[in-house]
């Protein structure tokens, strides 16, 4: 791949910038993913992230809900909700601050009203690279949950809560070979060597059965159905499959 991918197909309530390298002066909040800090020695995707202020985040969430309900919204409304975005988690699977540089997020001022919120502070996400092979993806994706950001670093995929960066999940595929936004279905799809995992607004929605002995390709998504092909070792041929996007069950 020529460079990092930036896919903002879903409405999002954060701003993010992929940095060319780790800054010499680190921000107050610095998080390393995953927990095993030693993995960072192979390199990392450095992403500066800031959650939107509550008013803007609320508007972005409204857009996501309206999209799910099938109601139309204008490009102007979408742009306004995501205003200020740079071009570019459920339960934590592990977290370890790097260099003890993690401090509290911006919070409500004691006895303050909604108009006196402290703006969220940006944080640096150092996402350990999985594989250096250019065939695996690297980049950032918006998620069905507007407050989550998906970062993929050399095929290692992390889903981070932008409002509480210590909460994150890591997709179990090593590596993720492709990421696909199925916006109408409200799913972010992760393709591995043998199966597909779907991530929804509330976290992992489903993981398919084994679809291939080596390599899965999505060929199309329509009418609530995902179509693809997988290679079968016994026949040494690629075989088509179809999956119900709502349940993850194989249809044929």
């Amino acid at each position: 791949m020529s460079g990092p991918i930036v896919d903002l197909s879903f409405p999002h309530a954060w701003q993010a910038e992929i940095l060319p390298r780790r800054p010499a002066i680190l921000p107050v909040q610095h998080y390393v993913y995953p927990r095993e800090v030693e993995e960072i020695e192979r390199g990392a995707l450095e992403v500066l992230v800031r959650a939107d202020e509550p008013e803007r985040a609320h508007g972005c969430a409204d857009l996501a809900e309206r999209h799910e309900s099938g109601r139309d919204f204008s490009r102007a409304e979408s742009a306004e909700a995501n205003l200020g975005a740079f071009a570019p988690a459920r339960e934590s699977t592990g977290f370890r601050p790097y260099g003890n540089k993690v401090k509290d997020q911006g919070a409500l001022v004691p006895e303050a009203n909604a108009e006196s919120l402290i703006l969220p502070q940006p944080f640096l996400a150092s996402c350990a690279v999985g594989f250096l092979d250019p065939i695996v993806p690297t980049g950032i994706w918006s998620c069905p949950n507007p407050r989550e950001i998906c970062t993929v670093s050399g095929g290692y995929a992390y889903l981070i809560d932008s409002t509480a960066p210590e909460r994150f999940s890591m997709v179990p595929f090593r590596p993720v070979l492709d990421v696909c936004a199925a916006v109408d279905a409200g799913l972010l799809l992760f393709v591995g060597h043998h199966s597909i995992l779907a991530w929804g607004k509330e976290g992992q929605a489903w993981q398919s059965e084994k679809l291939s002995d080596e390599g899965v390709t999505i060929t199309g998504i329509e009418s609530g159905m995902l179509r693809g092909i997988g290679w079968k070792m016994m026949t040494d041929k690629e075989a088509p499959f179809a999956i119900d996007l709502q349940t993850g069950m194989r249809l044929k």
Side-chain angles (χ1 to χ4, degrees):
M1 294 188 178
S2 58
I5 299 167
V6 176
D7 187 332
L8 304 180
S9 297
F10 289 100
H12 54 289
W14 44 260
Q15 304 170 51
E17 179 184 8
I18 297 175
L19 305 180
R21 63 188 64 85
R22 184 175 299 175
I25 300 177
L26 295 174
V28 172
Q29 295 188 99
H30 181 201
Y31 294 80
V32 170
Y33 308 97
R35 184 174 182 176
E36 294 76 18
V37 176
E38 292 74 16
E39 295 193 52
I40 214 71
E41 295 176 0
R42 294 202 300 268
L45 176 70
E46 306 287 352
V47 185
L48 190 64
V49 183
R50 187 181 72 196
D52 280 345
E53 56 267 37
E55 291 81 3
R56 184 175 298 162
H58 178 71
C60 190
D62 286 346
L63 280 179
E65 291 174 2
R66 288 173 63 183
H67 181 84
E68 288 179 356
S69 67
R71 285 180 287 170
D72 294 332
F73 56 89
S74 69
R75 291 180 181 271
E77 285 178 290
S78 179
E80 182 179 355
N82 294 307
L83 183 64
F86 306 135
R90 299 306 125 224
E91 291 300 318
S92 169
T93 57
F95 151 75
R96 182 175 173 184
Y98 184 81
N100 296 320
K101 292 185 178 294
V102 177
K103 295 187 179 181
D104 291 341
Q105 293 266 53
L108 283 171
V109 177
E111 300 181 5
N113 57 32
E115 284 71 34
S116 59
L117 291 171
I118 296 177
L119 295 181
Q121 294 298 308
F123 65 91
L124 178 65
S126 295
C127 304
V129 67
F131 299 85
L132 298 177
D133 193 325
I135 196 172
V136 296
T138 290
I140 60 176
W141 281 257
S142 56
C143 299
N145 182 339
R147 292 176 177 80
E148 286 184 331
I149 178 172
C150 172
T151 65
V152 182
S153 179
Y156 276 17
Y158 311 91
L159 295 123
I160 303 167
D161 185 337
S162 66
T163 64
E166 69 278 6
R167 294 205 298 262
F168 79 100
S169 297
M170 189 173 180
V171 174
F173 296 160
R174 307 288 193 277
V176 167
L177 297 176
D178 192 16
V179 184
C180 178
V183 178
D184 290 341
L187 297 172
L188 192 60
L189 305 173
F190 298 94
V191 179
H193 282 292
H194 309 295
S195 60
I196 296 173
L197 183 146
W199 192 266
K201 191 173 182 179
E202 302 300 326
Q204 181 174 326
W206 49 261
Q207 182 172 337
S208 73
E209 64 180 68
K210 183 177 179 180
L211 304 168
S212 172
D213 290 311
E214 188 62 37
V216 176
T217 301
I218 294 176
T219 58
I221 297 175
E222 59 181 352
S223 302
M225 184 184 301
L226 179 153
R227 296 185 182 276
I229 54 175
W231 180 74
K232 299 297 183 182
M233 182 174 61
M234 295 298 293
T235 60
D236 193 23
K237 293 182 179 180
E238 291 185 327
F241 62 80
I243 292 176
D244 184 329
L245 279 172
Q246 184 174 2
T247 65
M249 298 297 293
R250 184 167 183 167
L251 302 175
K252 58 181 177 178

